[in-house]
Amino acid sequence: MGKTKRGKGCKIMAIADGHGLPLAVCTASASPAEVKLAPQTVEERFVAEVPERLIGDKAYDSDRLDDQLMRESASR
């Protein structure tokens, strides 16, 4: 999808519910960090409801991301 330091690559971002059913899938260039792709993935979800909680690994540990997702969910 896009150029990286080692060549071309892509990331597939996904959100699943507690039962493992997919709620959102998004593909993007491999260059951006996961924390920057998370809001876009939430926006491209298959269901109308915004997830109440999101759990991710260290790549998603960001106060800025937490604040952004809270603002977006509060505005709906």
Side-chain angles (χ1 to χ4, degrees):
M1 285 201 85
K3 217 140 166 58
T4 64
K5 291 178 185 175
R6 293 186 172 159
K8 295 182 181 178
C10 69
K11 287 184 182 175
I12 300 173
M13 303 283 292
I15 298 173
D17 68 6
H19 302 288
L21 297 172
L23 301 178
V25 176
C26 177
T27 59
S29 168
S31 299
E34 286 86 355
V35 72
K36 294 186 183 210
L37 298 174
Q40 177 184 350
T41 306
V42 172
E43 272 304 308
E44 295 185 17
R45 66 192 178 280
F46 308 135
V47 295
E49 296 177 8
V50 177
E52 286 182 31
R53 271 186 303 165
L54 293 174
I55 300 171
D57 63 10
K58 276 182 156 182
Y60 302 95
D61 187 19
S62 163
D63 291 337
R64 182 183 239 165
L65 175 61
D66 294 343
D67 293 342
Q68 181 180 0
L69 292 174
M70 289 292 259
R71 280 193 311 271
E72 289 176 7
S73 67
S75 67
R76 293 170 199 229

